[in-house]
Amino acid sequence: MSIIKTHHVTLRGGVEGCEIILRPLTDADLPDLYRWNADPEVLYWAEGEDIEEYSPEDVEGIYGWISQENLCFAIKVNGEKVGECWLQKMNLPHVKAMYADGLDVRRIDAMIGEKAFWGKGIGTHFVGMLIKYAFECERVDVLHCLCEDYNSRSCRVLEKNGFTLVLAEKFTKPHKGQFQYHWRLTKDEYNARLK
Ligand SMILES: CC(C)(COP(=O)(O)OP(=O)(O)OC[C@H]1O[C@@H](n2cnc3c(N)ncnc32)[C@H](O)[C@@H]1OP(=O)(O)O)[C@@H](O)C(=O)NCCC(=O)NCCS
């Protein structure tokens, strides 16, 4: 039995000279997931809490669990695998409580594990692809994403894709950041940007 539950959604995008494909994550991606999740520099940005390294068992637990009910993708740029991203049902009770019952609220989480690909516009692009898919194909009502205040790249990617900062939540336990930033993009806001 496979660890990562896969799916059949592939998203294609990019600009001339830079083809971006989001394809289903599978167990064949585990060696890269182990490597990216054992890189302290990647985890510095990906995790607010101080985690230097995840073990292979941790990685299997994380991706095995999350993929059961959510879409996990490998990010490919011009044929090269550079990271992973998820379109996930909102799992945090205090965030769910911010929205009316019955609304489809999701979050996007992402990690470019190949550090040479940071800061080249790829995150902005693939998050845009996930947003389009979420609102136009999955009929999601709200995207609500989280990142810590120290992760300027991540904040900027959300901002550039039309998200609004709706809450800055002060951490009560030690974190790298001082605040958890909450970013929101509603279906109506997305549609208004298309006009
Ligand atoms: C976060 C992540 C997905 C962003 O993707 P990316 O391809 O690196 O980002 P982009 O190049 O599309 O955009 C980055 C933006 O941040 C800006 N930026 C880059 N480095 C910055 C820095 N140190 N401080 C402030 N802004 C910065 C860039 O200028 C760019 O904005 P601009 O287009 O207005 O100039 C990617 O960097 C990543 O996976 N990092 C490691 C893991 C991580 O942080 N995951 C997210 C956890 S919430």
Side-chain angles (χ1 to χ4, degrees), residues 37-103:
N37 282 284
D39 183 331
E41 203 185 345
V42 174
L43 290 181
Y44 174 83
W45 297 105
E47 297 289 350
E49 288 171 54
D50 260 328
I51 295 160
E52 291 265 300
E53 174 177 10
Y54 282 116
S55 69
E57 292 72 29
D58 291 335
V59 170
E60 289 168 15
I62 293 167
Y63 292 88
W65 172 73
I66 204 73
S67 62
Q68 294 308 307
E69 294 198 15
N70 299 290
L71 296 173
C72 299
F73 297 92
I75 306 160
K76 294 193 84 174
V77 176
N78 291 336
E80 191 172 341
K81 196 192 320 171
V82 303
E84 51 82 357
C85 57
W86 311 341
L87 179 64
Q88 184 189 350
K89 290 177 188 150
M90 179 46 68
N91 58 333
L92 302 172
H94 72 293
V95 175
K96 285 193 209 173
M98 293 166 69
Y99 297 101
D101 281 350
L103 280 190

Side-chain angles (χ1 to χ4, degrees), residues 163-180:
F163 282 79
T164 305
L165 183 61
V166 290
L167 177 66
E169 195 180 10
K170 185 133 179 74
F171 287 113
T172 50
K173 292 186 198 152
H175 266 249
K176 288 176 205 126
Q178 299 236 5
F179 292 94
Q180 179 74 276

